[in-house]
Amino acid sequence: MPRFASSITNLRSSEIRDLMSLATAPDMISFAGGMPGNELFPLETLDRIYQSLTEKEKQTALQYGPTTGLPSLLESLSDYLEKKGLPVKSNRLMITTGSLQAIHILAKAFIDPGDPVLVENPGFIGALSAFRACQANLVSIPLKEDGMDVDQLKKRLESTLPAPKFLYYTPNFHNPAGIIYSRKVKQEMMALLKERQIAVIEDDAYSELYFYDEDLPEMRLMKVTDPEGIDVCHTGSFSKILGPGLRLGWMLVPDEIYRKCELIKQSIDACSPSISQMLADKFIRRGDLYNYTANIREEYKKRGLAMIGALEEFLPAYVTFEKPRGGFYAWLQLPEGSNATAILKKAIGKGVVFVTGKTFDPAGIKNDCMRVSFCNTNVDTIRRGVPLIAQAIKEMCGP
């Protein structure tokens, strides 16, 4: 028998992947995937960008590049992030192969086997898997409608020994909960963490996908504040604002953490794709990024409002959810003790899929909730699919 590393014993296949094998019919309605709609990609813009590249730029695009990123993209991305208020000049910026690689690198930088780390419940499955791969002890904090339960965070900080290595959180349009962290909660979190030598990983993949300008003050990032006494590691991604197939993300971190992360990245892939970086750089410099995100915000808002309207119309009253104000997701709370996996099996039989709650539980247990995505289905499909989910819920939980 192969003698596998002990680090992979904590990894588990999501039950959703097994069930998805049943959901391959071409007419299946999917509210499962958290990816942009294919029809929304800026194909003509990217064609023009590539055709405009000089011979020298095309050669650079096909060559290895610096581990930390092409200088041209680091420059244009720095300008973009500074316009968002991020403290680029007092930190170090690194390009990564998707923001999930940034999270993996930070996990490797901080975690020794058995180290506790603070995570959200529910939490982003990609980050939870990265921490498990490093053999972390996941200490979960429940979420409320405005962010992490600060009272529970205080209890975990006071009772967890050794002290957690870092806290991971997703501030804007949370995956899967769809919420925005309030300014009050972020301020209380910073007050609790200050001077405890507990870093923060702030995963911000969705903040450009807001529906309402009025929410922007509430969405102010912890990294924008860059509080003294807390090492805040900001991660971001081009996946939702250009295309996930480019596999580009970034981290903005203090210098000491950057130097360790550079060594780790060198050992993983040497550099992120140069051709993707070249396209992303031009996309920013030409102003296309700003125009594109403004357009897709409007489309995702239409889909999000259609999802809210359909859920309110068709779901039984005992199912509750926070109305998303941006991003990709709505998080449905079923009656306590419900089995979302059983509901999913019913739903697949009706031609619709979603993701069960225990997929996002750090312990893999709590299953009386479910995530429905509205990002890659149009308004008409949302209106057809939500009643099918409602029927499946009623058949399992009652009218």
Side-chain angles (χ1 to χ4, degrees), residues 238-370:
F238 283 99
S239 292
K240 313 303 187 293
I241 59 174
L242 181 48
L246 292 175
R247 303 314 305 130
L248 281 185
W250 63 82
M251 68 170 76
L252 182 68
V253 298
D255 180 69
E256 186 175 2
I257 296 173
Y258 173 93
R259 285 185 272 116
K260 298 295 185 185
C261 290
E262 181 180 10
L263 295 173
I264 295 168
K265 181 167 170 60
Q266 285 174 352
S267 73
I268 294 173
D269 66 357
C271 64
S272 298
S274 295
I275 190 166
S276 296
Q277 294 184 65
M278 183 73 70
L279 293 173
D281 173 47
K282 301 292 186 182
F283 196 69
I284 297 172
R285 288 180 186 275
R286 291 161 44 115
D288 295 314
L289 175 58
Y290 303 97
N291 296 330
Y292 178 63
T293 51
N295 289 333
I296 59 172
R297 267 198 295 273
E298 288 304 310
E299 178 58 31
Y300 288 133
K301 182 178 180 179
K302 291 177 186 175
R303 297 180 182 194
L305 293 178
M307 176 63 78
I308 292 169
L311 293 173
E312 290 182 328
E313 181 177 352
F314 295 108
L315 286 182
Y318 55 74
V319 179
T320 60
F321 66 99
E322 292 293 324
K323 297 178 184 178
R325 299 181 63 83
F328 281 2
Y329 312 108
W331 182 245
L332 310 186
Q333 181 61 57
L334 303 164
E336 187 174 355
S338 298
N339 183 351
T341 302
I343 296 171
L344 177 59
K345 290 176 181 177
K346 285 276 188 184
I348 289 173
K350 298 177 185 297
V352 63
V353 294
F354 55 85
V355 186
T356 57
K358 72 177 184 179
T359 303
F360 306 99
D361 179 6
I365 296 171
K366 182 174 169 57
N367 205 30
D368 55 3
C369 34
M370 50 195 276

